[in-house]
Structures are given as structure tokens and as C-alpha cells.
Amino acid sequence: MDFSTTRDFRASRAWGAMDLGAVDGVTVRAHWTDQPYHWHQNDGPEVFGVLQGAVDMHWRDGDGVEQVRRLEVGDFCHAGEGDQHRAVPIGAAVVLVVERRGSE
């Protein structure tokens, strides 16, 4: 058994990660950040949740129109393969990301 806590987690750089585990090629990581992530598309699905702070999740809908939804502690979203998205923290935040190993 391995145990982890993100309660006091702070990385030395934005989007620095704490590996929490892996299951069948899928990674589970906590990321600390105080900076926006760049626009990107994953090569597989991603689950993204807020553990501390708040994050504005930006995505482009099927027509390419940018949408935004604020995620607060306990909120999660699922990005499908190819969904264009960008996470913008409001101050510092710790997020949980579950995605295929090696995904961006």
C-alpha cells in the first residue's frame, strides 16, 4: 500500500507533478500551478479535477467557439480524445489529472 497527500503540495515550477500512481498505462498525478497551461489536445481521454483553489477550464466546442467554465474544489471535467482545452488557475491551484501515460 502507498499513501499520498496533496494537502501541502507545492511544486518548484508551474505544472510540476506529484505521481500518485498508475493503472494499466494510465497515470494519476497531482499538479501544482499558478500559471495557465497552453492550448492542447490529448491523444486520449483525460479526467481533470480541482483539489485546491479554482481553475477556469477553457475549451473549444464543435464549432471552434471558445467556452469557459470555472472549476472549484471537488469539481471535475472529462476531456475526450482531441478536445482542445486549456486550464487557467485563479491564483495557485492543485489539480488531479488522470490520463494515458505520456500524454501532454
Side-chain angles (χ1 to χ4, degrees):
M1 297 290 291
D2 289 319
F3 298 89
S4 302
T5 183
T6 61
R7 192 172 306 111
D8 298 317
F9 174 53
R10 180 179 169 98
S12 60
R13 61 178 175 76
W15 295 99
M18 173 193 292
D19 289 326
L20 301 173
V23 179
D24 296 331
V26 173
T27 61
V28 179
R29 293 185 177 131
H31 292 269
W32 175 90
T33 190
D34 61 355
Q35 299 295 313
Y37 202 71
H38 60 87
W39 279 100
H40 67 287
Q41 302 179 94
N42 294 75
D43 61 356
E46 171 188 322
V47 173
F48 181 102
V50 177
L51 302 176
Q52 296 174 28
V55 175
D56 282 349
M57 183 59 75
H58 297 243
W59 75 96
R60 293 189 178 117
D61 66 19
D63 295 324
V65 176
E66 185 175 340
Q67 306 287 326
V68 180
R69 178 163 174 179
R70 177 146 307 161
L71 302 174
E72 297 180 334
V73 173
D75 292 337
F76 287 79
C77 69
H78 175 265
E81 182 175 343
D83 286 347
Q84 295 181 10
H85 60 287
R86 175 180 193 231
V88 179
I90 309 305
V94 176
V95 300
L96 182 72
V97 177
V98 181
E99 63 188 350
R100 181 181 297 149
R101 182 177 283 120
S103 191
E104 183 176 357

